[in-house]
Amino acid sequence: AVVIRFLDVVLAAMGLIAAAPLMGVIAVIGYFDTGAPLFRQVRVGRHQKPFVLYKFRTMRMEAPQVATHEADASLVTSWGRFLRRTKLDELPQLWNVLNGDMSLVGPRPCLPTQTELITERQRLGVFDARPGITGLAQLQGIDMSTPRLLAETDADMLQRLDTWTYFRYLILTLLGKGAGDRIRATKP
């Protein structure tokens, strides 16, 4: 755990420095797209402590604060679709990692309203770990619409997580594997 935290800090700091110019460009385009390029949302963190998660905004300002799989696809802007497809919307979470709220690899942080997922994660001890930007569930395309399967996959990942697996998940994510949380087709 100490080694992974050290890697988190070093890699997140390097990532923020390297991505700063790109993040500046994304923020400017995002400002013209939605008027507010940065999205902040309270999520459930380690030991169920709430924290504020940062992402680049991909939906219009009037979008409700719901889990991704419950969101209306028509609220995603064309710029937002690009950010989601390329996973660039996740870059601000490097600050969450540096700040200690998250890890680069871990279970995706859920909303406080996702009680079924919270119950399953409590039962399996998933909240003992920091939530992550990527992990086994995202690489396997398992999202928050299947709470029990997600919690079981998270618990399995955490039991097997070592330095090798940590780097493997990061590399697979950077190579574009996995879909993570997807917005479903537009609701009627």
Side-chain angles (χ1 to χ4, degrees):
V2 174
V3 172
I4 287 178
R5 181 65 192 139
F6 173 77
L7 291 170
D8 278 344
V9 170
V10 170
L11 294 174
M14 289 172 40
L16 282 168
I17 292 166
L22 175 61
M23 290 173 71
V25 170
I26 292 170
V28 169
I29 295 170
Y31 178 78
F32 288 105
D33 185 46
T34 63
L38 200 59
F39 174 74
R40 296 181 274 301
Q41 187 178 57
V42 174
R43 299 285 181 103
V44 180
R46 186 178 190 192
H47 306 303
Q48 292 184 257
K49 180 183 170 195
F51 73 98
V52 177
L53 176 123
Y54 298 98
K55 291 177 84 166
F56 282 120
R57 183 177 297 281
T58 60
M59 295 186 184
R60 296 198 304 265
M61 292 290 287
E62 66 269 18
Q65 299 261 334
V66 296
T68 302
H69 67 277
E70 296 172 349
D72 187 337
S74 69
L75 294 172
V76 180
T77 67
S78 55
W79 174 243
R81 277 191 292 280
F82 168 76
L83 291 178
R84 283 176 176 269
R85 189 173 55 252
T86 58
K87 301 178 185 169
L88 292 172
D89 62 318
E90 310 277 355
L91 283 174
Q93 289 174 69
L94 292 173
W95 174 252
N96 288 116
V97 173
L98 198 59
N99 196 36
D101 295 323
M102 292 179 70
S103 175
L104 290 174
V105 176
R108 286 297 296 158
C110 61
L111 294 167
T113 55
Q114 293 177 285
T115 54
E116 188 179 349
L117 178 56
I118 289 169
T119 300
E120 290 297 326
R121 283 180 166 175
Q122 274 177 324
R123 182 176 65 83
L124 297 169
V126 172
F127 288 117
D128 292 343
R130 283 183 179 87
I133 295 176
T134 190
L136 180 60
Q138 287 68 43
L139 293 170
Q140 292 183 347
I142 300 167
D143 67 15
M144 294 186 181
S145 66
T146 54
R148 174 170 277 174
L149 176 61
L150 177 58
E152 288 169 354
T153 304
D154 291 338
D156 183 50
M157 172 190 64
L158 292 172
Q159 286 175 356
R160 301 167 191 255
L161 190 61
D162 57 18
T163 308
W164 160 249
T165 311
Y166 173 93
F167 278 112
R168 188 170 147 256
Y169 291 163
L170 285 178
I171 291 166
L172 288 171
T173 300
L174 291 171
L175 292 175
K177 179 161 174 45
D181 288 338
R182 295 176 301 284
I183 293 181
R184 305 294 182 204
T186 304
K187 295 178 180 179

